[in-house]
Amino acid sequence: GQATIGVIGLAVMGSNLARNLASREGNTVAVHNRTTSKTEALVEEHPEAGFVATETIDDFVAALAKPRKAIIMVQAGAGTDAVIDQLAERFEEGDVIVDGGNADFHDTIRREEALRERGLHFVGCGISGGEEGALHGPSLMPGGSDEAWEVLAPALRSIAAVAEGEPCVTHVGHDGAGHFVKMVHNGIEYADMQLIAESYDLLRRIGGHDPDALADVFEEWNGGDLESYLIEITAEVLRQTDADTGQPLVDVILDQAGSKGTGVWTVQNATGLGVPTTAIGEAVFARALSSSEDHRDAVRRTFPDRPDLPEAPDGFEDDVRSALYASKVVAYAQGFDLIRAGAEEHDWDIDLAAVARIWRGGCIIRAKFLDRIAEAFDDDPSLVTLLAHPYFADAVRDGEAAWRRVVALAATSGVPAPAFGSALASYDALASERLPAALIQGQRDFFGAHTYRRTDRDGVFHTLWSGDRSEVSE
Ligand code: NBP
């Protein structure tokens, strides 16, 4: 075979990734799709790519130079398993199968183990950046073995986005580490989008700005600390006028947010690992709430009298910007906490600074902010939380008063700001000397004899609540 790498699955993501690969020095790309007409169409439309078109899986495998490298870009789940099986039957020791789809990392762990037993390498690779990223440079999060990374690195480095001169790809960790980190990336994306949406809502309803004026505000913010792809596209969405009605497009879009599942996975795994990713949780729930049509109807009809919206206080726009930044620090800190907890649970050696660096380009959450996060973990790889790093601590301190004003005003005005509020609550809880968890331990001991520990002595204790209420130690 003469192709240096192959792509299977030529829907939008696979086609774009294959074109990206083909456009880079050193890659010759074999392409294959279950439905052959798609392969033919791609090859015909892009003669410049010099694709090696293959009709059958056998042709595809035969077209690849050894060690064979194939990237699967088919629908996650059963489709991926089917293609893996087809390749595994034909591949030989040392060959590498890459799954670039949005797989559940548990599936990736399972597949990697099964293929390893057969002498094959399997790499679950998170790919962020959507269609555009796949074509021009995604952020790539490969897992799998060190040997597989060595084989794949040149091709992956050649197609990744570039940030500050570095390709946005790193060997995240073994087996499912790459897909785990991609999952958390998407969870953080949910939180970031929700925080921006709350900022918009507050500025619109309390600030009284129209979408066009708000597009200016977000454009301005994009020139500062908040500079990011999501802030940039927010301005563009707010600027858009609907051709049919002449209204701002945002006003004619149905206000029910969809999701494809990675946010839910993030929260499920966070709760399983006991990591309080509250901002991601609020973001996932906020989308679900927006789509709860019956509940929204029933409650809106029951409570037609809403608080009066106040005039925006002086400096409100700056306050919201500060609240957004501080909340964002909390949300990202929680996301990185989850990566660290996942790494501990699954024995992955994940460099958090490297993860922050590969998210600086190509992916949806790319932002200037991630440079700061990378620096923080470079300074101190064992940093307990981003909130404790001097740079972010100062940012939170500077924004704290504004953050409180915004959350308080949102509450009295009846404008929901769940992610702002819960990020602030998370910060306040972490910063509190004492938490009411002590009372909860008392309650648990009362009804379930769950025992408690004391602040002043080692040991495990129980109060004889239904007896003489004396304390016994276990
Ligand atoms: P889709 O997720 O829509 O999958 C379509 C592709 O899967 C087609 O090539 C189809 O072949 C193939 N396929 C299916 Br369906 N079942 C198959 C089977 N049993 N055997 C072989 N091939 C099968 O494509 P996509 O939107 O390009 O996404 C590809 C992957 O990338 C997904 O896992 C997705 O989650 C992930 N992803 C997508 C984005 C994005 O922005 N869209 C971003 C990041 C990751 P056919 O032509 O013969 O039907």
Side-chain angles (χ1 to χ4, degrees):
Q2 76 276 35
T4 56
I5 195 160
V7 176
I8 295 200
L10 303 176
V12 56
M13 288 294 289
S15 298
N16 283 1
L17 205 71
R19 286 172 58 199
N20 187 350
L21 277 163
S23 72
R24 314 287 170 166
E25 194 71 38
N27 303 325
T28 304
V29 187
V31 287
H32 176 76
N33 193 67
R34 180 180 57 179
T35 309
T36 309
S37 56
K38 273 198 203 163
T39 312
E40 288 164 355
L42 176 71
V43 171
E44 223 162 88
E45 277 165 42
H46 296 283
E48 81 286 355
F51 286 130
V52 181
T54 63
E55 206 176 311
T56 67
I57 282 274
D58 287 322
D59 296 344
F60 177 74
V61 172
L64 297 172
K66 292 185 195 174
R68 299 182 183 88
K69 302 182 278 293
I71 304 182
I72 302 174
M73 291 301 294
V74 306
Q75 204 171 68
T80 302
D81 272 320
V83 175
I84 290 172
D85 285 347
Q86 291 170 347
L87 289 178
E89 277 168 27
R90 294 163 174 85
F91 271 22
E92 294 165 311
E93 194 159 336
D95 290 348
V96 184
I97 299 175
V98 182
D99 174 16
N102 261 337
D104 180 331
F105 76 92
H106 296 100
D107 288 338
T108 305
I109 291 175
R110 168 180 62 76
R111 290 164 176 157
E112 198 274 341
E113 193 185 348
L115 293 189
R116 184 159 21 99
E117 280 165 9
R118 300 167 66 166
L120 302 177
H121 294 296
F122 181 73
V123 173
C125 182
I127 301 186
S128 178
E131 301 170 23
E132 280 299 298
L135 184 59
H136 299 295
S139 173
L140 297 171
M141 292 152 254
S145 67
D146 298 344
E147 296 90 324
W149 167 241
E150 221 162 273
V151 173
L152 280 176
L156 296 187
R157 285 206 180 99
S158 76
I159 58 166
V162 175
E164 313 279 328
E166 291 172 59
C168 292
V169 55
T170 189
H171 183 214
V172 175
H174 290 164
D175 57 72
H179 274 139
F180 183 87
V181 164
K182 172 59 166 49
M183 174 192 79
V184 179
H185 165 283
N186 286 25
I188 292 174
E189 176 185 311
Y190 273 61
D192 206 336
M193 291 168 72
Q194 176 65 22
L195 290 168
I196 293 171
E198 289 177 18
S199 305
Y200 151 76
D201 202 25
L202 287 162
L203 289 175
R204 181 135 195 216
R205 289 178 12 174
I206 298 175
H209 296 302
D210 63 21
D212 200 47
L214 287 175
D216 293 340
V217 171
F218 283 100
E219 251 174 33
E220 192 193 314
W221 289 2
N222 200 39
D225 283 346
L226 284 166
E227 181 187 320
S228 62
Y229 172 72
L230 283 171
I231 295 278
E232 181 191 324
I233 66 165
T234 298
E236 292 204 28
V237 173
L238 290 172
R239 192 76 78 196
Q240 185 74 12
T241 302
D242 175 43
D244 267 6
T245 61
Q247 303 263 352
L249 180 68
V250 71
D251 287 346
V252 296
I253 295 179
L254 186 70
D255 57 347
Q256 298 181 7
S259 60
K260 289 205 293 191
T262 39
V264 173
W265 288 351
T266 312
V267 175
Q268 284 171 337
N269 284 287
T271 50
L273 291 167
V275 182
T277 53
T278 53
I280 300 171
E282 289 297 346
V284 171
F285 286 135
R287 290 197 193 183
L289 188 150
S290 75
S291 302
S292 306
E293 236 176 305
D294 292 352
H295 287 71
R296 289 180 62 184
D297 278 350
V299 176
R300 200 164 50 222
R301 271 188 274 106
T302 310
F303 302 96
D305 299 322
R306 304 290 298 145
D308 290 330
L309 289 172
E311 291 276 310
D314 284 347
F316 186 56
E317 208 179 286
D318 275 344
D319 275 6
V320 173
R321 185 176 41 80
S322 297
L324 173 57
Y325 194 80
S327 301
K328 211 174 133 146
V329 172
V330 170
Y332 279 66
Q334 293 175 346
F336 279 89
D337 285 348
L338 180 56
I339 294 177
R340 183 178 273 149
E344 268 163 32
E345 173 77 11
H346 297 283
D347 238 342
W348 295 320
D349 186 16
I350 300 183
D351 175 348
L352 297 181
V355 169
R357 274 196 293 272
I358 64 167
W359 288 349
R360 292 177 308 176
C363 67
I364 306 296
I365 64 172
R366 61 184 182 262
K368 199 165 150 182
F369 187 67
L370 286 156
D371 262 330
R372 299 297 193 173
I373 296 180
E375 282 162 22
F377 285 119
D378 274 336
D379 284 353
D380 178 6
S382 61
L383 183 68
V384 174
T385 164
L386 282 178
L387 280 167
H389 187 269
Y391 175 81
F392 292 108
D394 281 347
V396 167
R397 258 182 231 112
D398 288 349
E400 181 173 335
W403 198 8
R404 294 190 191 289
R405 283 194 294 273
V406 169
V407 171
L409 189 63
T412 53
S413 311
V415 178
F420 273 15
S422 83
L424 179 60
S426 166
Y427 160 68
D428 279 330
L430 290 170
S432 290
E433 194 63 43
R434 292 274 298 160
L435 290 175
L439 175 60
I440 289 171
Q441 286 298 81
Q443 293 164 333
R444 294 178 68 235
D445 190 58
F446 189 104
F447 65 69
H450 292 300
T451 73
Y452 50 86
R453 287 178 296 144
R454 296 180 56 99
T455 57
D456 54 356
R457 268 180 281 145
D458 282 344
V460 175
F461 301 89
H462 169 57
T463 289
L464 301 169
W465 296 103
S466 47
D468 66 0
R469 304 214 162 183
S470 61
E471 184 178 75
V472 294
S473 67
E474 303 258 300

